[in-house]
Amino acid sequence: MSTQYVGNYYLISHLVLSTGSTDRTIRNYIASGILQGEKINGLWHFTPEQVERFLRHPAVRPSILAKNNGLVYDFLLYTRKRQPECCIILDLPKVDRKEVAEFFCDRISHGDFGSIQFSYDGVADNPRVILKGDAEGVLRLLNEYHEKWPFDPEKD
């Protein structure tokens, strides 16, 4: 499935990547009416507003938070790692939520970051990104983000 953004739309693959849900689960949310979108050329497209409503839905929100917490908990629980790994929680106040989501979805989908697990919560007061995986890949991805959008503590 394509992970290219089409205009201002998100695709199912973006929701799978950022929520940790399966493709089937996202499609079940569509079938139940919890997630609304438009099918264009055989692919579901969702506006940022539709995605935000979906992520805030009381039937969805607890599951996403549990998956976010599970990502960190699994990292802490598993102590028999064979290579250096890291888990980074990055809170990003005063940033464009859509740009953050697009950057990480695109880079993880199209870059050499296959072993990185990613979670994104753009509903909280500050967008939160959780990256877990081989230390070199996670730090390289974080550096790419920082090069594109340097952290500016003075930004309003």
Side-chain angles (χ1 to χ4, degrees), residues 12 36 41 56 65 70 80 113 132 135-136:
I12 288 177
Q36 298 178 351
N41 296 327
R56 289 182 184 274
L65 292 175
R80 295 183 172 199
F113 301 105
K132 176 186 161 220
E136 185 272 331

Side-chain angles (χ1 to χ4, degrees), residues 69-81 87 132:
N69 294 341
L71 197 62
V72 175
Y73 182 74
D74 289 347
F75 174 81
L76 294 171
L77 186 63
Y78 186 69
T79 58
R80 295 183 172 199
K81 296 171 178 73
C87 182
K132 176 186 161 220

Side-chain angles (χ1 to χ4, degrees), residues 20-67:
S21 298
T22 65
D23 184 274
R24 175 58 30 217
T25 298
I26 299 297
R27 290 177 186 281
N28 286 339
Y29 285 132
I30 294 168
S32 70
I34 291 173
L35 175 59
Q36 298 178 351
E38 181 179 3
K39 206 167 197 179
I40 303 170
N41 296 327
L43 294 175
W44 281 99
H45 291 69
F46 311 97
T47 65
E49 296 77 23
Q50 289 169 324
V51 170
E52 186 156 339
R53 274 195 306 276
F54 166 69
L55 296 175
R56 289 182 184 274
H57 194 282
V60 176
R61 186 87 181 125
S63 172
I64 291 171
L65 292 175
K67 285 179 175 96

